[in-house]
Amino acid sequence: MKDVIKDNKYVELTYKVIDQKSGQELTSVEFPLGYVHGVNEVLSPQVSAELEGRSAGETIEVPIDCNEIFGPRDESLVITDNIENVPKEYHEVGTAILMENDRGNTKSFLVTRVDDKSVTIDGNNPLCGREVIFKLEILLVRAASEEEIAAGGKIETGPDVEVGPGIHEVLN
């Protein structure tokens, strides 16, 4: 009998986020995401609920209105400035900039437009205002170990490095 996803099961999956209107893939994970179901909130509650009861080998699609997660776009977070006022390292679209306000709160902005005269940055989440589909492929479902439950996911171990002969032994 196949293990199904429920609390305290270790799950590995990959996912893509696809824009519902354009069908364009907005983001995807290159390496499988490993987590313990019901222990940590790596995925939105909506996605976690859809995964419940599924097993390895299944692919599911969960439509998500990002306005519910990130709220509506806030146009006051879109700032355009003269290119001379912006440091050179921020003259590339896609560059992330961490800004701090006078109260010490930080917020991440993304460079969204650069032309000869100006640079535009946007503090809205890139998914803000979009309706997307989370397409998840479940690769593995098994009982989680006590260590994995405590950590909420995969226990990272370093590579097994065998110690070879010392350099002076190789040269002789």
Side-chain angles (χ1 to χ4, degrees), residues 11-153:
V11 180
E12 275 187 8
L13 51 80
T14 57
Y15 68 84
K16 293 176 180 162
V17 179
I18 300 160
D19 187 286
Q20 281 188 28
K21 284 192 184 101
S22 68
Q24 175 192 0
E25 185 178 301
L26 301 173
T27 185
S28 62
V29 289
E30 199 173 325
F31 301 104
L33 170 73
Y35 76 101
V36 178
H37 196 77
V39 172
N40 58 358
E41 298 289 318
V42 290
L43 300 164
S44 74
Q46 243 173 314
V47 173
S48 291
E50 289 292 331
L51 284 167
E52 197 94 14
R54 307 290 186 147
S55 55
E58 287 189 64
T59 299
I60 65 166
E61 293 188 0
V62 185
I64 293 183
D65 179 349
C66 292
N67 287 320
E68 292 174 16
I69 299 171
F70 306 113
R73 277 186 63 77
D74 179 351
E75 293 307 322
S76 73
L77 294 175
V78 180
I79 303 160
T80 300
D81 199 353
N82 190 315
I83 199 160
E84 280 111 44
N85 298 336
V86 181
K88 283 232 183 306
E89 62 264 28
Y90 303 136
H91 290 193
E92 191 175 330
V93 171
T95 305
I97 306 171
L98 196 61
M99 310 274 267
E100 189 174 317
N101 68 12
D102 49 10
R103 292 185 300 284
N105 301 329
T106 57
K107 180 157 190 52
S108 186
F109 283 75
L110 205 58
V111 176
T112 54
R113 206 167 151 264
V114 178
D115 60 32
D116 297 341
K117 297 187 177 88
S118 64
V119 174
T120 301
I121 63 172
D122 188 342
N124 288 291
N125 183 293
L127 296 178
C128 211
R130 293 184 189 242
E131 291 186 16
V132 299
I133 296 170
F134 259 77
K135 185 174 184 177
L136 303 104
E137 187 179 348
I138 303 161
L139 306 174
L140 172 77
V141 181
R142 63 165 168 74
S145 69
E146 304 236 342
E147 293 89 2
E148 287 167 338
I149 291 169

